[in-house]
Amino acid sequence: MIAKTYTCSLLGIDAILVEVEVDLASGLPQFSTVGLPDNIVKESKDRVKAAIQNSGYPFPFERITVNLAPAALKKEGAGFDLPIAVGLLAAQGIVNSEKAAKTIFCGELALDGRVKPVAGCLSMAIQARDSGYPDFILPAGNAREAAVMEAVSVRPVNHLSEVVEYLNGRSDLPVFKTYLDSIWNDETPDELDFEDVKGQEHAKRGLEVAAAGSHNLLLVGPPGSGKTMLAQRVSGILPPLSFDEAVETSKVYSVAGMLNNSPLILNRKFRSPHHTISDAGLVGGGHIPKPGEVSLAHNGVLFLDEFPEFRRNVLDLLRQPLEDGKVTIARATVALTYPARFMLIGAMNPCPCGYSGDPVRPCTCPPRSVLKYRSRISGPILDRIDLHIEVPSLKYEQLRTDEKSEKSATVRDRVSQSRQVQLKRFAGEGVYSNSQMKPRHLKKFCQLDATGQSILDHAVQQLGLSARAYHRILKVARTIADLDEKEDIARHHLLEAIQYRSLDRKMF
């Protein structure tokens, strides 16, 4: 007898519908799983057998064939345990096979029949909605994230026996509800505030400009000048996540198994990996591909402290995500694409000892070592950074002052207003901020008068800027004009944008 159930398999951050066919045939007892299963899926036969028997149900001693279709898609993870177990029970006539075939199942089985959480249930709930399956039975530990998709009846379970009783109509599995209004009300404010930072008004202005246009920036200054302190507060001035952004970010964390029973990611994430991070850790990958730090920072901030200390080949991997907003991981059988639209913030010292150009402490580095230190950042990566901001050391009088700076909430209001202008400008274009403008947008929205064009031409000639750096200046100038609530880019907007290219001025 053949029985069918349905589940989902992850492909990147998306889920693909998988048909689970179970066939019981006469012959010597054997359990075979086909359809490109990985080792975890192959091992499911032992978990499924023990779970069925320890739950008090008979296990068929026949020739068992489990087919996972489409056969060309590699199947990974322990989430296939529950649908395979239900298929075996349906093939024996223990559960209602028609009802089982109209439901999507997902979950890992313990040997005693308990249903354990798995990764990626939010993506699976989205696939269940898009495929027209009304019921989704899944582990209770994943219910909150999946219930965000209100069009799907999410039915959490803790044990295999609960699924059997429900399919046979002897008990009910209540639909789990997540109320979106209450989720947004539960958003906790960021405890790190700009008002805690003494001085550094120039750096704060640069961070505001960067946040308003989602521009990448590099903070350069001696140790203790406040670079990390400033970077950690950028998330607090970014505009709130929209629902679509929250779902997209949450899908990444769901696939990575990092949602921690939260229904949605509500705040823009701030990721700060150590400089010893590997290639796979930064952009994703591994034997079983997982999202890297660039994807975990999607719609948020990726902060790389001690920027030149990262291996050069690791930094160069940032080229694709910085340009395309996504990262593609190619394997022999499949190519996975993860979203990676983030705001990059780097922080570095001006030299190995950290005090080059400091008015108090002299630099002890020979010129050769300074040049070697700075050359660790390749030209193509530096070209993709819109703003270079100098963060000088503070004087003692600035540190002990009681004068308060602007609160993050005040800056956030200006940034959010600027972003709304940009969203309206690029409506229907698939562009969400000035940093994502294409050449055709630059021609349309970054027109300069004769004076402005002359200033920019002179800057390009004097600094030897590349075409990409030229476009970056125009994008930043457009953002400054938006913050100033001006339709056209004025002379002072352009001059401010040019002065944020400090490393180009120093022939870095």
Side-chain angles (χ1 to χ4, degrees):
M1 179 179 178
I2 295 179
K4 293 182 181 180
T5 61
Y6 289 89
T7 186
C8 293
S9 180
L10 295 175
L11 186 63
I13 67 165
D14 297 315
I16 304 296
L17 189 67
V18 174
E19 183 182 50
V20 180
E21 296 179 299
V22 179
D23 177 58
L24 302 182
S26 58
L28 293 175
Q30 182 181 349
F31 196 127
S32 176
T33 304
V34 297
L36 284 184
D38 71 347
N39 288 333
I40 298 176
V41 180
K42 290 178 182 177
E43 291 172 352
S44 67
K45 61 183 181 182
D46 299 314
R47 294 191 297 271
V48 168
K49 180 179 180 181
I52 289 176
Q53 291 178 329
N54 291 329
S55 298
Y57 306 109
F59 186 83
F61 287 95
E62 301 176 63
R63 184 180 181 88
I64 302 169
T65 303
V66 176
N67 179 44
L68 307 176
L73 175 69
K74 189 171 180 63
K75 319 302 186 306
E76 299 174 340
F80 292 90
D81 290 4
L82 182 59
I84 291 174
V86 172
L88 282 169
L89 295 172
Q92 296 179 84
I94 296 174
V95 301
N96 187 324
S97 59
E98 291 186 6
K99 194 171 183 180
K102 297 177 181 178
T103 306
I104 290 183
F105 301 88
C106 179
E108 177 184 347
L109 288 176
L111 299 185
D112 59 359
R114 287 178 295 111
V115 183
K116 303 166 72 174
V118 295
C121 281
L122 175 57
S123 299
M124 296 179 191
I126 294 174
Q127 178 58 240
R129 178 200 64 188
D130 296 341
S131 301
Y133 285 83
D135 286 342
F136 183 22
I137 294 179
L138 77 172
N142 296 121
R144 295 191 71 201
E145 60 179 281
V148 170
M149 295 297 108
E150 297 177 338
V152 179
S153 297
V154 174
R155 302 181 186 274
V157 295
N158 291 293
H159 199 275
L160 177 61
S161 60
E162 298 176 27
V163 182
V164 175
E165 295 299 300
Y166 169 72
L167 292 176
N168 289 332
R170 292 193 290 264
S171 67
D172 188 31
L173 288 177
V175 176
F176 189 93
K177 294 288 186 181
T178 296
Y179 298 97
L180 295 179
D181 291 341
S182 63
I183 292 176
W184 293 114
N185 292 334
D186 288 341
E187 182 181 4
T188 55
D190 200 322
E191 296 180 356
L192 301 175
D193 201 287
F194 256 31
E195 71 171 353
D196 301 329
V197 182
K198 304 291 186 182
Q200 305 296 10
E201 299 304 324
H202 170 69
K204 290 177 185 176
R205 168 63 178 176
L207 289 170
E208 180 181 341
V209 171
S214 191
H215 299 289
N216 306 315
L217 75 153
L218 181 62
L219 301 171
V220 184
S225 59
K227 301 185 296 295
T228 302
M229 190 176 186
L230 285 162
Q232 289 172 340
R233 283 154 176 77
V234 170
S235 297
I237 66 172
L238 291 172
L241 285 171
S242 66
F243 177 73
D244 290 341
E245 287 178 321
V247 169
E248 196 172 39
T249 304
S250 300
K251 284 171 66 176
V252 176
Y253 278 77
S254 177
V255 167
M258 297 172 62
L259 263 185
N260 300 324
N261 203 29
S262 299
L264 280 178
I265 299 295
L266 300 178
N267 299 309
R268 296 187 185 272
K269 286 296 183 177
F270 179 88
R271 302 293 301 182
S272 180
H274 193 261
H275 61 78
T276 57
I277 192 169
S278 66
D279 300 10
L282 186 64
V283 299
H287 176 64
I288 299 177
K290 292 291 183 184
E293 289 292 333
V294 296
S295 296
L296 295 174
H298 182 58
N299 290 322
V301 176
L302 178 66
F303 176 52
L304 303 183
D305 201 3
E306 304 298 339
F307 202 52
E309 299 299 332
F310 286 80
R311 293 195 301 275
R312 183 163 177 164
N313 66 302
V314 173
L315 288 180
D316 284 343
L317 292 173
L318 293 173
R319 295 186 192 183
Q320 184 200 9
L322 287 177
E323 286 292 322
D324 302 333
K326 59 185 178 182
V327 60
T328 301
I329 302 168
R331 292 291 181 266
T333 57
V334 68
L336 304 179
T337 299
Y338 294 110
R341 189 173 62 246
F342 56 88
M343 179 178 165
L344 174 67
I345 301 180
M348 61 175 287
N349 299 325
C351 65
C353 79
Y355 295 102
S356 176
D358 189 86
V360 179
R361 299 188 62 171
C363 174
T364 59
C365 304
R368 186 179 182 85
S369 65
V370 175
L371 183 61
K372 183 179 179 181
Y373 175 77
R374 294 179 176 179
S375 63
R376 293 178 185 176
I377 305 174
S378 67
I381 288 297
L382 193 64
D383 237 12
R384 288 168 168 82
I385 297 177
D386 303 354
L387 294 87
H388 314 149
I389 301 175
E390 296 183 6
V391 187
S393 57
L394 291 177
K395 297 178 180 179
Y396 177 66
E397 293 77 10
Q398 292 175 295
L399 286 174
R400 66 189 296 268
T401 182
D402 293 330
E403 184 179 347
K404 290 286 187 180
S405 301
E406 263 190 322
K407 286 183 172 291
S408 290
T410 305
V411 181
R412 188 185 200 184
D413 289 341
R414 293 197 297 267
V415 169
S416 298
Q417 185 176 356
S418 173
R419 286 286 186 99
Q420 288 303 315
V421 171
Q422 295 167 47
L423 289 174
K424 184 178 179 180
R425 175 187 297 138
F426 304 120
E429 297 268 358
V431 175
Y432 305 99
S433 63
N434 288 333
S435 65
Q436 300 171 15
M437 283 193 289
K438 307 299 182 186
R440 68 178 186 275
H441 300 126
L442 292 174
K443 287 183 178 180
K444 185 175 180 180
F445 302 115
C446 299
Q447 292 287 338
L448 301 177
D449 57 20
T451 303
Q453 191 62 57
S454 175
I455 292 172
L456 189 53
D457 291 345
H458 183 72
V460 170
Q461 293 171 5
Q462 291 297 313
L463 302 178
L465 299 178
S466 66
R468 183 180 286 113
Y470 170 82
H471 288 158
R472 301 277 174 181
I473 290 175
L474 287 176
K475 293 176 183 179
V476 173
R478 178 67 269 170
T479 299
I480 296 170
D482 290 341
L483 283 170
D484 204 17
E485 300 181 14
K486 300 297 183 183
E487 184 69 26
D488 299 321
I489 298 176
R491 177 175 176 271
H492 62 278
H493 301 146
L494 192 59
L495 289 172
E496 183 178 354
I498 293 172
Q499 63 92 23
Y500 286 131
R501 305 293 302 187
S502 62
L503 297 184
D504 293 324
R505 295 199 304 271
K506 295 182 178 181
M507 302 301 289
F508 185 76

